[in-house]
């Protein structure tokens, strides 16, 4: 047997009921795990003989690994487990892996015809990064793989996670997947969702702001944008540095309509969830509660709080990560309530990664309504293109991709058509304000505009957007602008792979 297992440390509230006699001779397992320096989400590698690999446990607790985001830890652990199984099948301890071992493993993962689940170059580069980090920490030299070496990187690496839906296709996806509509466009009589407003509000916020799942999913109630821009159609707020991928805070913009929908959720669904949780004493049973006593303003807003033991603490708002934010409470009219914006039905903070489940259920709902039973029996990755095209498919990151595409098209149209700029005028405009690529890069919070082009919008880089947009009718009315943009997106969807549009979906369904 060469099977390795990965066990992840659960969140404090998810340990469940542990036997009174302890687990494997340990009386208080959560406390023992905490003493080891393991955090919620950290992986523990179990060897084929059933024992924990102590060396890998040290690696997980090392500064090289513990600074990774929770999702990165999960991905790295999954990749590493597969490599460990491959090495064990050869009888090679992982510390004795050689360049030949890793070359053989890469050949099997990426090229071997016998492997029915070969991976892409992009996926290999991620795996190579995980292995490089492990072997460098373990001081295995020469390095069996080094992602900084050209020969160890895949030449065919491209962004495979780009997923775009046009604005009206998002409407179809939301109506069908989140609001329970049937083909006729009305809610199903059997539809029942106690979190419909929460789910639709979250999607609209991401679509109008371009926030990542973790950025939008870890907002506090008092971080919801309230300050409107001059013309009143957008509000702007600030996303904390600690919850961003780059660890740099930035300003974000969200439409007034999206913010209004979130406010409606706060005043209805969320308020009811809080009341039920307070009545059932759920907040009193939480292991950590920090009651916020003060929120300072200025360029660097900070919080002050007091915990159940009376200990006083504080921190800059921008430095609070998403786990610490879940511990923050505000004094409400009926007692303490979470400062965390998005709550579960039980009134508890909803971890950002749980939004994946909301999107997954919405995708399944779309398939149930828009596909035939025979089409649903075939797994998505094996369906023909015309079948996949009948049902919209979205992930939290699809909202960010779609926002980027929408802003690029809109900015191009405004610069080229609305302002009627000549070529010389456009050069001057770009010098003063930056071209549309640069503006979208700023909105997304990328450090380099090439990242925006390469990872988000590369599939349409070959299109001459100027000529497409120039063909759109120019009007001065906002409603006409929206209609023109729908036509532009429809044309982009017809001429470019990977963009989901409602016209194509309806044609496929007819």
């Amino acid at each position: 047997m060469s099977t390795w297992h990965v066990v992840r440390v659960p969140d404090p509230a998810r340990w469940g009921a542990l036997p009174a006699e302890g687990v494997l001779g340990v009386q208080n397992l959560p406390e023992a795990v905490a003493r080891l320096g393991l955090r919620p989400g950290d992986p523990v590698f179990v060897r084929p003989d059933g024992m924990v690999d102590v060396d890998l446990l040290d690696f997980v607790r090392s500064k090289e690994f513990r600074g990774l985001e929770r999702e990165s830890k999960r991905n790295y652990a999954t990749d590493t487990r597969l490599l460990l199984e491959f090495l064990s099948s050869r009888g090679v301890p992982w510390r004795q892996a050689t360049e030949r071992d890793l070359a053989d493993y890469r050949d099997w993962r990426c090229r071997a015809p016998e492997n029915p689940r070969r991976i892409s170059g992009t996926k290999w580069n991620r795996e190579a990064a995980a292995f490089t980090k492990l072997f460098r920490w373990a001081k295995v030299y020469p390095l069996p793989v080094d992602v900084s070496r050209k020969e160890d990187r895949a030449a065919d690496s491209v962004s495979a996670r780009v997923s775009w839906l046009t604005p009206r296709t998002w409407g179809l996806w939301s109506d069908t997947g989140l609001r329970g509509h049937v083909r006729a466009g009305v809610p199903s009589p059997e539809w029942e969702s106690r979190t419909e407003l929460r789910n639709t509000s979250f999607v609209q916020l991401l679509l109008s702001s371009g926030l990542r799942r973790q950025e939008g999913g870890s907002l506090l109630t008092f971080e919801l944008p309230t300050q409107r821009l001059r013309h009143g159609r957008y509000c702007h707020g600030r996303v904390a540095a600690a919850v961003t991928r780059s660890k740099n805070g930035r300003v974000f913009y969200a439409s007034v309509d999206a913010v209004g929908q979130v406010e409606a959720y706060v005043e209805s669904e969320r308020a009811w969830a809080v009341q039920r949780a307070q009545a059932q004493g759920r907040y009193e049973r939480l292991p950590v509660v920090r009651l916020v006593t003060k929120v300072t303003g200025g360029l660097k807003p900070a919080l002050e709080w007091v915990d159940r033991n009376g200990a006083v603490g504080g921190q800059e708002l921008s430095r609070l990560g998403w786990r610490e934010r879940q511990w923050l409470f505000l004094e409400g009219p009926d007692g303490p309530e979470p400062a965390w914006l998005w709550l579960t039905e039980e009134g508890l903070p909803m971890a950002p990664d749980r939004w994946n489940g909301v999107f997954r259920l919405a995708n399944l709902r779309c398939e149930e309504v828009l596909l035939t039973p025979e089409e649903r029996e075939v797994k998505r990755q094996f369906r023909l293109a015309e079948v996949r095209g009948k049902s919209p498919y979205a992930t939290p990151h699809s909202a960010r991709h779609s926002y980027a595409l929408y802003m690029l098209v809109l900015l191009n149209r405004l610069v080229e058509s609305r302002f009627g700029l000549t070529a010389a005028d456009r050069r001057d405009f770009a010098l003063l304000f930056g071209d549309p690529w640069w503006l979208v890069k700023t909105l997304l919070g990328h450090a380099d505009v090439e990242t925006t082009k390469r990872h988000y919008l590369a599939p349409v880089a070959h299109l001459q957007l100027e000529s497409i947009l120039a063909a759109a009718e120019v009007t001065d009315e906002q409603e006409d602008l929206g209609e023109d943009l729908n036509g532009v997106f429809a044309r982009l969807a017809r001429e470019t792979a990977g963009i989901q549009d409602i016209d194509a979906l309806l044609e496929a369904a007819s």
Side-chain angles (χ1 to χ4, degrees):
M1 292 291 292
S2 58
T3 303
W4 284 70
H5 296 279
V6 174
V7 180
R8 293 180 177 82
V9 177
D11 290 311
R14 291 178 172 266
W15 278 94
L18 298 174
E21 64 274 14
V23 179
L24 299 177
V26 180
Q27 289 298 321
N28 191 329
L29 186 59
E31 183 179 308
V33 169
R35 282 200 306 270
L36 286 174
L38 294 173
R39 302 174 177 179
D42 280 352
V44 177
F45 292 88
V46 181
R47 300 194 308 250
D49 61 7
M51 301 299 292
V52 172
D53 190 292
V54 178
D55 286 343
L56 290 173
L57 188 64
D58 289 340
F59 171 63
V60 169
R61 296 182 295 174
S62 70
K63 63 180 180 181
E64 288 83 359
F65 190 87
R66 70 184 306 157
L68 297 173
E69 291 294 335
R70 182 167 177 159
E71 188 164 352
S72 296
K73 290 180 178 180
R74 182 183 65 187
N75 292 335
Y76 277 28
T78 300
D79 298 340
T80 301
R81 183 187 68 81
L82 295 175
L83 175 64
L84 294 172
E85 290 193 349
F86 175 82
L87 294 174
S88 291
S89 69
R90 291 187 160 194
V92 177
W94 67 266
R95 280 184 173 274
Q96 297 177 21
T98 65
E99 291 186 46
R100 172 57 63 87
D101 291 322
L102 268 294
D104 291 345
Y105 181 69
R106 178 183 179 182
D107 185 71
W108 169 255
R109 292 286 281 161
C110 301
R111 307 184 188 98
E114 298 84 3
N115 183 359
R117 296 184 179 274
R118 294 191 298 275
I119 62 175
S120 66
T122 302
K123 177 67 166 62
W124 168 255
N125 285 349
R126 190 189 83 180
E127 294 190 5
F131 306 153
T132 301
K133 186 179 291 291
L134 171 63
F135 290 126
R136 278 181 176 165
W137 170 84
K139 296 181 172 59
V140 177
Y141 293 108
L143 283 174
V145 63
D146 186 353
V147 75
S148 65
R149 294 194 299 241
K150 183 178 179 179
E151 58 270 24
D152 286 345
R153 295 195 309 271
D156 60 340
S157 176
V158 295
S159 179
R161 299 176 62 192
V162 175
S163 174
W164 295 332
L165 286 73
T166 62
R168 54 186 181 170
T169 306
W170 273 107
L172 174 66
W173 182 87
S174 295
D175 287 343
T176 307
L178 301 179
R179 296 188 176 96
H181 287 197
V182 295
R183 279 178 175 267
V186 296
S188 168
E190 294 82 20
W191 176 253
E192 180 180 351
S193 175
R194 293 181 293 273
T195 57
E196 178 180 313
L197 188 54
R198 181 200 68 186
N199 298 342
T200 54
S201 299
F202 180 78
V203 171
Q204 289 305 313
L205 179 65
L206 262 59
L207 279 173
S208 78
S209 65
L211 292 173
R212 294 183 177 90
R213 181 196 64 190
Q214 181 167 289
E215 294 168 350
S218 58
L219 287 173
L220 304 177
T221 53
F222 50 81
E223 290 180 309
L224 191 64
T226 56
Q227 188 172 358
R228 296 194 178 193
L229 300 180
R230 184 177 59 172
H231 295 291
R233 295 185 60 84
Y234 275 80
C235 299
H236 65 90
R238 188 164 187 85
V239 59
V243 302
T244 66
R245 181 174 295 175
S246 64
K247 304 308 175 188
N248 291 315
R250 71 178 189 278
V251 174
F252 71 93
Y253 304 87
S255 71
V256 171
D257 290 341
V259 173
Q261 189 169 343
V262 177
E263 291 174 342
Y265 154 70
V266 170
E267 295 172 3
S268 55
E269 277 184 13
R270 187 184 187 279
W272 299 331
V274 168
Q275 290 174 3
R276 290 194 299 270
Q278 290 172 333
Q280 296 173 10
R282 289 198 180 104
Y283 301 145
E284 298 171 6
R285 297 192 293 270
L286 292 177
V288 181
V289 171
R290 292 175 174 175
L291 185 63
V292 176
T293 57
K294 185 178 181 180
V295 181
T296 66
L299 296 177
K300 294 183 177 181
L303 303 183
E304 296 179 5
W305 62 72
V306 59
D307 66 16
R308 285 204 179 102
N309 298 321
V312 177
Q315 185 58 268
E316 287 183 19
L317 183 60
S318 187
R319 299 182 64 182
L320 290 172
W322 69 268
R323 294 183 186 84
E324 294 176 281
R325 288 165 167 259
Q326 292 186 322
W327 301 337
L328 299 176
F329 278 69
L330 301 171
E331 190 63 58
D334 299 314
E337 60 185 60
W340 189 271
L341 177 59
W342 309 104
L343 304 182
T344 64
E345 285 188 74
E346 293 76 24
L348 300 175
M350 182 170 173
D353 58 4
R354 292 190 63 182
W355 285 108
N356 289 352
V358 173
F359 277 72
R360 183 166 53 252
L361 290 176
N363 290 329
L364 292 174
R365 166 71 184 171
C366 288
E367 292 182 357
E368 181 181 348
V369 172
L370 301 173
L371 298 182
T372 65
E374 293 76 17
E375 291 169 339
R376 292 199 302 271
E377 287 181 1
V378 181
K379 292 184 178 180
R380 178 175 176 80
Q381 61 266 34
F382 298 117
R383 290 175 189 159
L384 298 176
E386 58 266 27
V387 175
R388 289 199 302 270
K390 290 183 180 181
S391 177
Y393 180 89
T395 66
H397 219 59
S398 300
R400 181 170 166 87
H401 294 151
S402 301
Y403 167 83
L405 176 66
Y406 178 83
M407 293 305 298
L408 178 69
V409 172
L410 178 63
L411 289 169
N412 268 287
R413 184 185 187 283
L414 289 174
V415 172
E416 303 266 338
S417 301
R418 175 61 66 87
F419 299 149
L421 301 180
T422 65
D425 291 335
R426 290 196 296 272
R427 285 194 298 271
D428 292 340
F429 183 92
L431 288 173
L432 287 171
F433 303 106
D435 63 14
W437 285 102
W438 186 89
L439 293 171
V440 171
K441 163 256 182 190
T442 303
L443 290 170
L444 292 174
H446 288 161
D448 185 359
V449 70
E450 292 303 318
T451 301
T452 310
K453 293 180 179 179
R454 183 173 64 252
H455 292 290
Y456 287 85
L457 307 176
V460 294
H462 69 284
L463 293 176
Q464 296 185 356
L465 285 174
E466 294 84 357
S467 62
I468 295 176
L469 295 169
E473 182 182 356
V474 180
T475 66
D476 293 327
E477 296 296 327
Q478 181 65 34
E479 291 75 14
D480 290 339
L481 175 60
E483 291 174 1
D484 291 342
L485 285 176
N486 281 334
V488 172
F489 280 116
R491 181 169 180 179
L492 280 174
R494 288 194 302 269
E495 300 183 3
T496 308
I499 301 178
Q500 300 177 53
D501 183 61
I502 192 171
D503 279 352
L505 295 171
L506 293 177
E507 289 173 5
S510 62

